[in-house]
Amino acid sequence: MTDAEQPWLVVGLGNPGPEYAGNRHNVGFMVADLLAERMGGRFKAHKARAQVVEGRFGAPGPGGRRVVVAKPLSFMNLSGGPVTALRDFYKVPVSHVVAIHDELDIDYGALRLKVGGGDNGHNGLKSITKSLGAEYHRVRFGIGRPPGRMQVADFVLKDFSSAERRELDYFVDRAADAVETLVVDGLERAQSTYNT
């Protein structure tokens, strides 16, 4: 199978359940939802403890890239299990796995795309890296640092503020564009266009 025919696995990280839906920690789910909508697909339950949508990014027909967009249904800190099961099921090389996640050390709404690296204390990445190794792509969505003395755990599990929500749709849309560019045109093109 040539590289162009290899499927991609795009994983939005978050916590399942309506009580977490608007949390900063769930921005990966928000981007995954938008990607699924763009592909015209609906999430379906998968035996790997995840919801998946299968489709294509890019030009219709053979020029497009086969993509599985997934939302693990384990909690964030156990994401590695479902991601590994999906990778095995769809026979996706680690170099074609993309994790979309919230990032504390980047200003709100800014994006950074990269391959490999540490987990920076992010439990979802820690779990995936333990299962897959570190050489997968990351789309890091900036959420900024907690104000004052607020604990990180409290901050990431709070909903975006009303001021943040005014721009959230725009930033989620931009992150979805970045994911599509990464898959279709490669990391360098995506970084030069979207890294801020």
Side-chain angles (χ1 to χ4, degrees), residues 122-143:
H122 193 289
N123 289 330
L125 295 183
K126 200 174 287 182
S127 177
I128 294 171
T129 298
K130 191 173 168 191
S131 298
L132 291 186
E135 292 309 303
Y136 55 92
H137 289 85
R138 297 106 192 272
V139 175
R140 303 155 71 204
F141 187 112
I143 59 168

mmCIF file of all heavy atoms in Angstrom, residues 122-143:
data_model
loop_
_atom_site.group_PDB
_atom_site.id
_atom_site.type_symbol
_atom_site.label_atom_id
_atom_site.label_comp_id
_atom_site.label_asym_id
_atom_site.label_seq_id
_atom_site.Cartn_x
_atom_site.Cartn_y
_atom_site.Cartn_z
ATOM 1 N N HIS A 122 0.215 16.503 29.909
ATOM 2 C CA HIS A 122 -1.136 16.239 29.400
ATOM 3 C C HIS A 122 -1.411 14.739 29.499
ATOM 4 O O HIS A 122 -0.752 13.927 28.845
ATOM 5 C CB HIS A 122 -1.228 16.702 27.936
ATOM 6 C CG HIS A 122 -2.626 16.756 27.411
ATOM 7 N ND1 HIS A 122 -3.365 15.617 27.158
ATOM 8 C CD2 HIS A 122 -3.432 17.808 27.105
ATOM 9 C CE1 HIS A 122 -4.558 15.977 26.714
ATOM 10 N NE2 HIS A 122 -4.618 17.297 26.670
ATOM 11 N N ASN A 123 -2.394 14.369 30.321
ATOM 12 C CA ASN A 123 -2.636 12.947 30.592
ATOM 13 C C ASN A 123 -3.110 12.161 29.381
ATOM 14 O O ASN A 123 -2.834 10.966 29.264
ATOM 15 C CB ASN A 123 -3.620 12.787 31.749
ATOM 16 C CG ASN A 123 -2.988 13.181 33.068
ATOM 17 O OD1 ASN A 123 -1.786 13.035 33.252
ATOM 18 N ND2 ASN A 123 -3.787 13.704 33.976
ATOM 19 N N GLY A 124 -3.830 12.805 28.462
ATOM 20 C CA GLY A 124 -4.253 12.122 27.244
ATOM 21 C C GLY A 124 -3.053 11.743 26.388
ATOM 22 O O GLY A 124 -2.937 10.611 25.909
ATOM 23 N N LEU A 125 -2.122 12.705 26.216
ATOM 24 C CA LEU A 125 -0.913 12.429 25.433
ATOM 25 C C LEU A 125 -0.049 11.383 26.128
ATOM 26 O O LEU A 125 0.528 10.510 25.480
ATOM 27 C CB LEU A 125 -0.102 13.711 25.226
ATOM 28 C CG LEU A 125 -0.737 14.809 24.387
ATOM 29 C CD1 LEU A 125 0.231 15.972 24.239
ATOM 30 C CD2 LEU A 125 -1.152 14.294 23.021
ATOM 31 N N LYS A 126 0.050 11.495 27.451
ATOM 32 C CA LYS A 126 0.858 10.542 28.226
ATOM 33 C C LYS A 126 0.376 9.117 27.954
ATOM 34 O O LYS A 126 1.170 8.206 27.719
ATOM 35 C CB LYS A 126 0.707 10.883 29.718
ATOM 36 C CG LYS A 126 1.803 10.345 30.606
ATOM 37 C CD LYS A 126 1.638 10.862 32.034
ATOM 38 C CE LYS A 126 1.998 12.334 32.139
ATOM 39 N NZ LYS A 126 1.889 12.866 33.498
ATOM 40 N N SER A 127 -0.949 8.930 27.964
ATOM 41 C CA SER A 127 -1.535 7.611 27.748
ATOM 42 C C SER A 127 -1.287 7.118 26.317
ATOM 43 O O SER A 127 -0.928 5.953 26.102
ATOM 44 C CB SER A 127 -3.040 7.679 28.046
ATOM 45 O OG SER A 127 -3.660 6.451 27.780
ATOM 46 N N ILE A 128 -1.433 8.013 25.325
ATOM 47 C CA ILE A 128 -1.213 7.613 23.932
ATOM 48 C C ILE A 128 0.257 7.273 23.695
ATOM 49 O O ILE A 128 0.589 6.263 23.070
ATOM 50 C CB ILE A 128 -1.674 8.726 22.960
ATOM 51 C CG1 ILE A 128 -3.192 8.905 23.054
ATOM 52 C CG2 ILE A 128 -1.279 8.390 21.524
ATOM 53 C CD1 ILE A 128 -3.719 10.112 22.303
ATOM 54 N N THR A 129 1.151 8.107 24.230
ATOM 55 C CA THR A 129 2.587 7.883 24.049
ATOM 56 C C THR A 129 3.017 6.556 24.682
ATOM 57 O O THR A 129 3.830 5.824 24.116
ATOM 58 C CB THR A 129 3.384 9.067 24.630
ATOM 59 O OG1 THR A 129 3.018 10.250 23.912
ATOM 60 C CG2 THR A 129 4.884 8.850 24.520
ATOM 61 N N LYS A 130 2.429 6.246 25.830
ATOM 62 C CA LYS A 130 2.754 4.972 26.499
ATOM 63 C C LYS A 130 2.356 3.790 25.607
ATOM 64 O O LYS A 130 3.037 2.775 25.553
ATOM 65 C CB LYS A 130 2.004 4.921 27.840
ATOM 66 C CG LYS A 130 2.439 3.806 28.753
ATOM 67 C CD LYS A 130 1.763 3.947 30.097
ATOM 68 C CE LYS A 130 1.957 2.669 30.901
ATOM 69 N NZ LYS A 130 1.124 2.653 32.091
ATOM 70 N N SER A 131 1.265 3.929 24.860
ATOM 71 C CA SER A 131 0.771 2.854 23.995
ATOM 72 C C SER A 131 1.430 2.821 22.620
ATOM 73 O O SER A 131 1.683 1.754 22.074
ATOM 74 C CB SER A 131 -0.743 2.983 23.791
ATOM 75 O OG SER A 131 -1.419 2.868 25.007
ATOM 76 N N LEU A 132 1.674 4.006 22.028
ATOM 77 C CA LEU A 132 2.114 4.079 20.627
ATOM 78 C C LEU A 132 3.561 4.501 20.443
ATOM 79 O O LEU A 132 4.084 4.426 19.338
ATOM 80 C CB LEU A 132 1.275 5.109 19.856
ATOM 81 C CG LEU A 132 -0.184 4.860 19.557
ATOM 82 C CD1 LEU A 132 -0.713 5.964 18.655
ATOM 83 C CD2 LEU A 132 -0.390 3.507 18.910
ATOM 84 N N GLY A 133 4.190 5.029 21.487
ATOM 85 C CA GLY A 133 5.439 5.759 21.292
ATOM 86 C C GLY A 133 5.092 7.210 20.973
ATOM 87 O O GLY A 133 3.924 7.558 20.850
ATOM 88 N N ALA A 134 6.120 8.054 20.838
ATOM 89 C CA ALA A 134 5.874 9.497 20.739
ATOM 90 C C ALA A 134 5.756 10.037 19.317
ATOM 91 O O ALA A 134 5.426 11.205 19.128
ATOM 92 C CB ALA A 134 6.992 10.249 21.470
ATOM 93 N N GLU A 135 5.992 9.205 18.304
ATOM 94 C CA GLU A 135 6.148 9.753 16.942
ATOM 95 C C GLU A 135 4.839 9.925 16.174
ATOM 96 O O GLU A 135 4.765 9.621 14.987
ATOM 97 C CB GLU A 135 7.142 8.900 16.146
ATOM 98 C CG GLU A 135 8.565 9.003 16.675
ATOM 99 C CD GLU A 135 9.052 10.444 16.836
ATOM 100 O OE1 GLU A 135 9.042 11.184 15.834
ATOM 101 O OE2 GLU A 135 9.417 10.831 17.961
ATOM 102 N N TYR A 136 3.798 10.398 16.832
ATOM 103 C CA TYR A 136 2.548 10.720 16.149
ATOM 104 C C TYR A 136 2.433 12.240 16.043
ATOM 105 O O TYR A 136 3.148 12.980 16.728
ATOM 106 C CB TYR A 136 1.344 10.100 16.877
ATOM 107 C CG TYR A 136 1.238 10.477 18.334
ATOM 108 C CD1 TYR A 136 0.494 11.581 18.739
ATOM 109 C CD2 TYR A 136 1.895 9.735 19.312
ATOM 110 C CE1 TYR A 136 0.409 11.938 20.075
ATOM 111 C CE2 TYR A 136 1.820 10.085 20.653
ATOM 112 C CZ TYR A 136 1.079 11.188 21.027
ATOM 113 O OH TYR A 136 1.008 11.544 22.352
ATOM 114 N N HIS A 137 1.534 12.707 15.175
ATOM 115 C CA HIS A 137 1.333 14.148 15.001
ATOM 116 C C HIS A 137 0.464 14.691 16.133
ATOM 117 O O HIS A 137 -0.450 14.017 16.596
ATOM 118 C CB HIS A 137 0.618 14.431 13.671
ATOM 119 C CG HIS A 137 1.470 14.195 12.468
ATOM 120 N ND1 HIS A 137 1.619 12.945 11.883
ATOM 121 C CD2 HIS A 137 2.225 15.037 11.724
ATOM 122 C CE1 HIS A 137 2.423 13.048 10.840
ATOM 123 N NE2 HIS A 137 2.803 14.292 10.718
ATOM 124 N N ARG A 138 0.732 15.935 16.494
ATOM 125 C CA ARG A 138 -0.109 16.623 17.479
ATOM 126 C C ARG A 138 -0.569 17.959 16.893
ATOM 127 O O ARG A 138 0.228 18.681 16.294
ATOM 128 C CB ARG A 138 0.668 16.932 18.776
ATOM 129 C CG ARG A 138 1.149 15.691 19.534
ATOM 130 C CD ARG A 138 2.646 15.531 19.357
ATOM 131 N NE ARG A 138 3.163 14.251 19.807
ATOM 132 C CZ ARG A 138 3.550 14.003 21.048
ATOM 133 N NH1 ARG A 138 3.454 14.926 21.961
ATOM 134 N NH2 ARG A 138 4.049 12.824 21.358
ATOM 135 N N VAL A 139 -1.835 18.244 17.076
ATOM 136 C CA VAL A 139 -2.369 19.565 16.770
ATOM 137 C C VAL A 139 -2.720 20.155 18.122
ATOM 138 O O VAL A 139 -3.675 19.745 18.769
ATOM 139 C CB VAL A 139 -3.585 19.491 15.827
ATOM 140 C CG1 VAL A 139 -4.198 20.871 15.623
ATOM 141 C CG2 VAL A 139 -3.169 18.893 14.483
ATOM 142 N N ARG A 140 -1.902 21.098 18.559
ATOM 143 C CA ARG A 140 -2.008 21.657 19.914
ATOM 144 C C ARG A 140 -2.835 22.938 19.852
ATOM 145 O O ARG A 140 -2.465 23.886 19.169
ATOM 146 C CB ARG A 140 -0.611 21.922 20.463
ATOM 147 C CG ARG A 140 0.249 20.653 20.468
ATOM 148 C CD ARG A 140 1.741 20.953 20.408
ATOM 149 N NE ARG A 140 2.217 21.528 21.653
ATOM 150 C CZ ARG A 140 3.296 22.285 21.745
ATOM 151 N NH1 ARG A 140 4.009 22.592 20.667
ATOM 152 N NH2 ARG A 140 3.665 22.757 22.916
ATOM 153 N N PHE A 141 -3.941 22.942 20.565
ATOM 154 C CA PHE A 141 -4.886 24.064 20.564
ATOM 155 C C PHE A 141 -4.683 24.822 21.877
ATOM 156 O O PHE A 141 -4.951 24.302 22.956
ATOM 157 C CB PHE A 141 -6.306 23.505 20.486
ATOM 158 C CG PHE A 141 -7.396 24.530 20.308
ATOM 159 C CD1 PHE A 141 -8.113 24.588 19.129
ATOM 160 C CD2 PHE A 141 -7.727 25.422 21.329
ATOM 161 C CE1 PHE A 141 -9.143 25.518 18.969
ATOM 162 C CE2 PHE A 141 -8.740 26.358 21.174
ATOM 163 C CZ PHE A 141 -9.451 26.403 19.977
ATOM 164 N N GLY A 142 -4.196 26.050 21.773
ATOM 165 C CA GLY A 142 -3.892 26.825 22.977
ATOM 166 C C GLY A 142 -5.128 27.171 23.807
ATOM 167 O O GLY A 142 -6.137 27.618 23.262
ATOM 168 N N ILE A 143 -5.025 26.918 25.112
ATOM 169 C CA ILE A 143 -6.098 27.356 26.021
ATOM 170 C C ILE A 143 -5.565 28.342 27.059
ATOM 171 O O ILE A 143 -6.311 28.860 27.884
ATOM 172 C CB ILE A 143 -6.797 26.168 26.732
ATOM 173 C CG1 ILE A 143 -5.808 25.335 27.557
ATOM 174 C CG2 ILE A 143 -7.544 25.302 25.714
ATOM 175 C CD1 ILE A 143 -6.473 24.334 28.504
#
